[in-house]
Structures are given as structure tokens and as C-alpha cells.
Amino acid sequence: MSVKLSEERTVIEIDGLKKSFKDLKAVDEISFKVKEGELFAFLGVNGAGKSTTINIISGILGKDGGKVSVCGYDLDKDVDKIKGNLGIVFQTSVLDNKTTVYDNLKSRANLYGIFGDAFKKRLAEMSELLDLKDILKRPVCKLSGGQKRRADIARALFHNPKLLILDEPTTGLDPKTRMTVWSVIEKLRKEQGLTVFLTTHYMEEAAVADFVVILDSGKKVAEGTPHDLKDKYATDFIRFYACVEKAQEYFTKLGYKVKRERDFLEVEVEKTGAVTKIIAANPELFTDYEVLKGNMDVVFLKVTGKDLKEI
């Protein structure tokens, strides 16, 4: 059963946020909104200002200027209410390595006044959702990376928050565990209207977001849906597997950017529509080829001049 969401409700609203560390402007007057039920992707290389922004939103770090509202509460006035509506999965696990998963979750529940039967019920829900049954009695230090990440997510979700912040949640995980994590997140978004604020190095995760903001050196440098960003910034490519020599000569003369690989030639074109005209004018070149659409990796590189995969 899906939850009906309000298209107008804003879960996070940030206006002119600023934070500096001595001479370094970690966050330089950024503004954005996150809507209810949205998967919002926050992208940037290390040092771009992502973690600083998250720490401010969650009340861990003070801001130097600007306004922050989370779940309708003003950060300057109602930080405790914000924390009650917020769950965070940090890049580095915050679980106590010396105790069991069960004890970690019980301690977390106690912080939010979840005791007795209410704790047992929520534990059963989290155990089923994240497949924790076999690891509840195991010390965290004995868990694999994927098991620990599932326990981290259970900890963040235990008090049933309205907003879940995921800071690089799947970095270093195997593909199966990544799929499990995203299956759980999508289930909660669909069934409970959970709003998800994501930072990630995986562009395929950003590509399925509802909205994306890209940071560079503390500044917001681009924003929009993945489709709009790709349409605005990404180029497309024609990859030739036959007639390579002729294609290289033809496109080089016209000033196109070409890249010769061992088995193919890749030609960069502005838009897919341009390919249609080229094919019509030069059908003899197009005997074995494919057109590759620009992706979020290309967008990020065009906007920041940096390759997120190499950071």
C-alpha cells in the first residue's frame, strides 16, 4: 500500500547556508529544498561541503549564517524536534563494536523512549525488513561490511523517522548488499512516504534520484532532475565498430572530438538529434555502430571539471 504524499510539503528548506573553518568556506551560501517522499541526491567530491551540510542539518554542527528548516521545525529553535524526526546513516559506522546488534538497537530505542512490547514489535519489524535475525546476538566487530551496514540502517530507522540521511551508504559494499539496501529504502519510500537525503559516489544511484544538487568547493553549481541535468550538460557519443578509419577522418575534419580505442572509435556529439542528420548524410559510415546517451558521470565532469569516480 502506497502513502499519498503532499506535492507541496517541504521536508528540508535551506536558504543561504554558510559555514567556514577559519579561512575555508566549507559551505558558501547554498540554498535548496527537499520535498516529502523525495529521493534527493547531494553530490560533490570530498571537501565540497556535503558532510558539513549534513552535520548542520542534524544539529551536530553550528552554522555561521542562513536558515535551516527540517520537517517544519526551525533549526535555531527546535533542534531536538528535528532530531526526533531524523535518522542518519553515516559513512563510518557508529555502532558499538564491542556489543551485539541487539544491544546496539536496544540502546538506540531507549534514547527515543521505546521500551517493552513497543521495542519488541519494532525490533521484529526491523529484523524482517533488513534480515537481521541471524546477526542480532552477534558482536558488531564480528560482522561483515554488509551485515554492519544493515544494522546501521536499522539503528537509523528504529524510531521511525520522517527523514533518512544516507551519507555514502553503499560505498565498499558488494553488489548484492547494495541491492538489498536500495530495495529496503524504496519499500519505505513507497509504503511510508520516507524522505531520503543521499550523498553517493555511485552515479547510477544519483541517476534514479528525483532531484540532484551538485556542490563544488562549498558552492551549489548545478541542480535539477537527472533528466534535466543530462539534457543541459551531458553530451552523447557515437561508437563506431566498422568504417573506423573513414569515420575518424570525416569527424576529425569537421572538428568533432574523437577518441580511438582498440576496437572502436568514439565521437562526441552535442545531442542525439544531431546523430540523425549525420546518418542521413553519411549512411555508408553507419554499418556497425551504437549511440550512447550521456550520463550523470558526464554531467558531474562537465559541471565541476572533476571525475567523481577518481576521487
Side-chain angles (χ1 to χ4, degrees):
M1 181 179 178
S2 299
V3 174
K4 187 175 181 180
L5 303 175
S6 170
E7 295 182 359
E8 300 300 323
R9 183 173 180 185
T10 299
V11 174
I12 300 176
E13 185 168 1
I14 289 181
D15 184 19
L17 182 63
K18 295 188 290 185
K19 180 64 180 181
S20 296
F21 298 99
K22 294 185 177 179
D23 295 332
L24 174 65
K25 291 185 177 181
V27 178
D28 194 0
E29 295 195 50
I30 64 172
S31 301
F32 61 84
K33 294 181 181 181
V34 181
K35 295 181 180 179
E36 184 182 22
E38 196 168 55
L39 172 56
F40 180 97
F42 206 45
L43 305 182
V45 300
N46 293 333
K50 305 187 306 299
S51 294
T52 299
T53 302
I54 288 173
N55 287 337
I56 292 172
I57 290 172
S58 57
I60 296 172
L61 186 66
K63 57 184 174 62
D64 294 336
K67 295 182 178 180
V68 177
S69 172
V70 181
C71 296
Y73 298 108
D74 188 324
L75 180 65
D76 293 329
K77 301 175 182 178
D78 298 305
V79 66
D80 288 337
K81 291 181 179 178
I82 288 175
K83 289 180 178 179
N85 283 284
L86 179 65
I88 309 177
V89 178
F90 294 96
Q91 290 184 40
T92 303
S93 177
V94 294
L95 298 170
D96 184 344
N97 274 316
K98 296 180 181 179
T99 60
T100 65
V101 172
Y102 177 91
D103 288 336
N104 270 276
L105 295 180
K106 188 172 184 180
S107 295
R108 180 68 169 178
N110 290 346
L111 289 175
Y112 290 91
I114 305 172
F115 304 102
D117 290 341
F119 168 73
K120 292 178 182 179
K121 180 181 178 182
R122 188 58 175 161
L123 181 65
E125 292 171 350
M126 289 291 96
S127 183
E128 180 179 357
L129 183 67
L130 288 155
D131 191 21
L132 302 177
K133 184 178 179 181
D134 293 336
I135 65 171
L136 283 175
K137 296 300 183 180
R138 292 175 61 182
V140 171
C141 62
K142 298 294 184 181
L143 303 181
S144 68
Q147 291 169 334
K148 186 178 290 187
R149 182 52 83 204
R150 283 187 278 129
D152 274 316
I153 294 172
R155 176 188 178 278
L157 291 172
F158 210 91
H159 62 296
N160 201 24
K162 295 178 181 178
L163 170 65
L164 178 65
I165 293 179
L166 301 173
D167 194 7
E168 307 285 354
T170 59
T171 298
L173 299 184
D174 62 273
K176 182 179 179 181
T177 304
R178 285 177 63 193
M179 288 180 63
T180 299
V181 168
W182 279 108
S183 176
V184 169
I185 291 168
E186 287 306 304
K187 178 181 175 67
L188 293 172
R189 288 184 64 215
K190 181 179 179 181
E191 296 181 359
Q192 299 181 20
L194 181 68
T195 304
V196 179
F197 185 103
L198 168 74
T199 75
T200 181
H201 275 106
Y202 295 107
M203 288 297 99
E204 63 268 30
E205 294 179 349
V208 298
D210 297 300
F211 200 82
V212 178
V213 164
I214 300 177
L215 293 186
D216 190 26
S217 300
K219 291 182 177 291
K220 182 177 71 176
V221 291
E223 66 178 344
T225 66
H227 177 272
D228 289 343
L229 289 173
K230 286 186 284 187
D231 188 58
K232 183 175 182 179
Y233 295 106
T235 50
D236 297 334
F237 302 88
I238 314 172
R239 188 170 287 181
F240 291 90
Y241 299 98
C243 301
V244 170
E245 297 292 343
K246 290 182 178 179
Q248 184 171 3
E249 181 181 359
Y250 175 80
F251 286 100
T252 300
K253 283 184 178 180
L254 292 177
Y256 283 85
K257 185 177 180 180
V258 301
K259 182 173 69 173
R260 182 71 179 267
E261 299 289 352
R262 180 176 179 179
D263 299 323
F264 60 85
L265 175 77
E266 193 170 84
V267 180
E268 184 175 340
V269 294
E270 284 299 320
K271 300 294 178 185
T272 303
V275 179
T276 305
K277 296 179 181 179
I278 296 171
I279 294 174
N282 304 274
E284 71 281 0
L285 297 178
F286 293 84
T287 57
D288 188 5
Y289 73 99
E290 63 178 331
V291 178
L292 306 175
K293 295 288 292 180
N295 54 30
M296 288 300 295
D297 291 288
V298 177
V299 171
F300 192 86
L301 182 60
K302 285 289 179 73
V303 171
T304 67
K306 300 162 187 172
D307 190 340
L308 198 55
K309 289 181 177 179
E310 298 178 358
I311 303 302

